[in-house]
Amino acid sequence: MTDHYAVVGNPVGHSLSPAIHAAFAQATGEDLTYGTLEAPIDGFAQAADRFLATGKGLNVTVPFKLDAWRWVDRHDPHAAASGAVNTIIPAADGWLGCNTDGLGLVADLTEHLRWQVAGARTLILGAGGAVQGVVGALSEAGAEGVMVANRTVAKAQALADRFGVQACSLDEVGDGWDLIVNGTSAGLAGTGGLIAGDAVVGGRCYDMFYSRDGATPFCTWAKAQGARAVADGLGMLVEQAAQAFYLWRGVRPDTAPILASIRGGVPS
Ligand code: ATR
């Protein structure tokens, strides 16, 4: 019997997740459908109730990761630590909320890009939902001296306290970083220069966002400042999806060919 999955968000129409999961299903021979589900901003619970009456699982994207955290019956350790859920899977005693974003980021960094995370002095920009999901995984992967820098320093501090890392404002960011991860939504609006350019010189810069129209503003800016390497978040998107697919189906798809084929349509 065909199992049904979806990604719920608002907006969600341009999500690449259906194409990624369709490619995974084809590559692994799994019998499933995967669609998009746009819920009203205040309507996550009703949408999840309705879909999961018959559906076998959901991915959750902006702005519902916190609603999903509240909606599920239990949390896996990654979701519990981050306070955000991006994958809902069936469990014997209800719905289990998981978070595959952090593992997705680390897998892209270490497996596709071959950027070392263990021992890398790591700066993370932003303190919103996107960053919340990845600080724990970066620390677990051995990132060193992790610093969360945010426009609103109190938010950075709260997040840093939760994960036992450091916090500062964007203005206070110094230099000497091996890895700089952008998780602010500012990059999407086109402002590349959030911090002093010296901070990225010689470092590897990763933008958790991706652009369908070429390099992201953050990547373009970082490269111009003298970053050693830059990458956008498309690989993270594919890797977090692969982890979700594995949680649902017990099969791990080979991500490299799928990333390459999507990358073909999304220049970076
Ligand atoms: P998400 O869930 O995508 O992370 P969010 O919770 O709204 O979205 O967080 C957005 C992040 O981008 C925050 O860290 C925000 O900084 P503030 O906490 O100070 O609001 C950051 N951000 C958004 N626009 C920004 C800008 N123009 N300059 C600097 N930081 C910005």
Side-chain angles (χ1 to χ4, degrees), residues 81-212:
S82 66
V85 161
N86 82 330
T87 304
I88 299 176
I89 69 172
D93 51 353
W95 292 100
L96 179 64
C98 307
N99 195 313
T100 66
D101 285 332
L103 291 179
L105 171 61
V106 170
D108 191 36
L109 290 171
T110 58
E111 288 164 31
H112 288 147
L113 296 167
R114 308 252 170 225
W115 294 3
Q116 196 165 333
V117 174
R121 288 160 299 170
T122 300
L123 171 68
I124 306 173
L125 306 178
V131 169
Q132 210 171 315
V134 303
V135 179
L138 286 168
S139 294
E140 271 172 39
E144 247 184 54
V146 174
M147 173 78 78
V148 177
N150 194 43
R151 179 175 62 181
T152 310
V153 72
K155 265 172 73 182
Q157 192 64 58
L159 194 61
D161 289 349
R162 196 148 124 216
F163 290 99
V165 300
Q166 306 293 308
C168 69
S169 70
L170 294 174
D171 299 337
E172 290 165 338
V173 168
D175 48 18
W177 305 102
D178 300 312
L179 176 64
I180 299 105
V181 177
N182 177 44
T184 69
S185 46
L188 296 176
T191 41
L194 291 167
I195 52 172
D198 286 354
V200 300
V201 174
R204 292 174 161 134
C205 294
Y206 191 94
D207 196 347
M208 285 169 63
F209 297 95
Y210 62 87
S211 163
R212 294 180 137 185

Side-chain angles (χ1 to χ4, degrees), residues 11-16 36 38 212:
V12 75
H14 291 97
S15 171
L16 289 174
T36 58
E38 185 157 310
R212 294 180 137 185

